[in-house]
Each structure stands twice: as C-alpha cells, then as structure tokens.
Amino acid sequence: MQSTSFVSQEWLRPETPGQYHGYFQEDFGRWPRRFSRRWLKTDRYPAALFHLLPEIPRGGRVLDVGCGTGRTLRVLRRERPDLALFGTDLAAVERLEGEFVRQLAHEGRFYQADLLDERHPLPRQSFDLAYSSNTIEHVPDGVAFVRAMADVVRPGGYVLVHTMNHR
C-alpha cells in the first residue's frame, strides 16, 4: 500500500481487533499501534480529561455524559477521590456492563437521560465539568448536544467533548 504525506505508515499496520469500553470496534485494526497500546490499555484515555483534572476544584462535581460502563469514572475516582462523580446514559443501568456504574446508580448519581430532551432530570448549572467521550458522533444534533451539556455546568465550569480523531 502506498501512503500519502498525511497518512503515517503506522495506520497501515495490522492490529488484532480488541475490546474498547466493552464493545467491539470494527475499525480497531486500523488504529495506530502506539495509540491502541499506550492509551487504551493504561486507563489514561481520553488524555485531555486528565490534563483538565487539576482545574476542577476540590470536591467538584463531574458528569460523564454517555458514561456506558463507567470505566472512565472509575479511573477518575482513583485519580481524584475528592470529586463527586455522576454518570448519564441513554441505556438503563441494568443494560450497562460495569459494576462502577451500578454503584453510582445505587448512590443516586446515575441518570438515565437524553440531554437533547429538554425534560431531562439532570440539575441545571450544578456540575464543574461535563464531559463526553465518543458520544457526540452518535447524536443527531451535535450543537444542541454541546449546548445541553453547557446548560448543566456551573458558570465558569468546563465542557469537554472528545471524539475519535484518526489524524
């Protein structure tokens, strides 16, 4: 295969398909080896979130929009045990794989909600950080999704939206 100037040879190497957030990813085989091995397997993904953590005040409230299994929230608990962590997902907690997200639900900190529905149960202006990883590409209106995330963040808080970028 011939690569163009903006495509690294690393993209063309075969990789064994694997699991990511509990779901099989069809294009995992095309991910660069350094990314798939270093980030996904070290619990330091998404990197931007971990760079932003020092900015969140002690005892701050963090919302993971589209939390799925709760994997990232579990890592956040380990990194910053002082944070109050919340998760939301379209799926009911019973359908999500992950003990941590079930624990959040038991503590009353999981919301089954669609942020694009204005009647969602999430409290307005109550989180220091609302972040979403690999969710925005699945919603019908990305701009409305980000606005809804901003609506649940306190003034001066942060909204972080992360999606895969193969470049």
Side-chain angles (χ1 to χ4, degrees), residues 11-88:
W11 289 106
L12 305 175
R13 294 181 189 163
E15 183 72 61
T16 305
Q19 293 287 329
Y20 169 66
H21 279 271
Y23 300 99
F24 179 77
Q25 296 293 303
E26 294 291 332
D27 68 340
F28 188 86
R30 292 189 300 272
W31 292 7
R33 286 179 183 214
R34 106 177 139 251
F35 180 82
S36 62
R37 290 186 180 151
R38 189 173 300 147
W39 289 104
L40 294 182
K41 296 180 179 165
T42 61
D43 283 336
R44 298 295 297 180
Y45 170 79
L49 174 63
F50 294 96
H51 289 294
L52 185 61
L53 277 184
E55 302 297 321
I56 307 303
R58 186 154 186 73
R61 295 166 51 99
V62 175
L63 174 67
D64 182 351
V65 179
C67 67
T69 64
R71 173 180 174 245
T72 305
L73 288 170
R74 188 180 71 241
V75 175
L76 286 177
R77 168 72 47 89
R78 187 175 67 226
E79 297 281 326
R80 290 280 309 268
D82 63 295
L83 295 176
L85 303 175
F86 296 80
T88 182

Side-chain angles (χ1 to χ4, degrees), residues 65-66 115-116 132 135-136 139 141-150 161:
V65 179
L115 254 58
L116 295 179
S132 176
T135 303
I136 196 167
V139 300
D141 186 349
V143 173
F145 181 72
V146 172
R147 284 185 180 141
M149 287 179 65
V161 177

Side-chain angles (χ1 to χ4, degrees), residues 68-119:
T69 64
R71 173 180 174 245
T72 305
L73 288 170
R74 188 180 71 241
V75 175
L76 286 177
R77 168 72 47 89
R78 187 175 67 226
E79 297 281 326
R80 290 280 309 268
D82 63 295
L83 295 176
L85 303 175
F86 296 80
T88 182
D89 204 287
L90 286 175
V93 71
E94 297 82 23
R95 298 197 63 212
L96 297 172
E97 297 177 11
E99 188 58 36
F100 192 79
V101 79
R102 287 190 176 93
Q103 179 185 350
L104 286 179
H106 180 71
E107 296 169 2
R109 292 187 281 135
F110 174 82
Y111 300 93
Q112 180 184 358
D114 178 359
L115 254 58
L116 295 179
D117 182 350
E118 292 180 7
R119 300 170 307 212

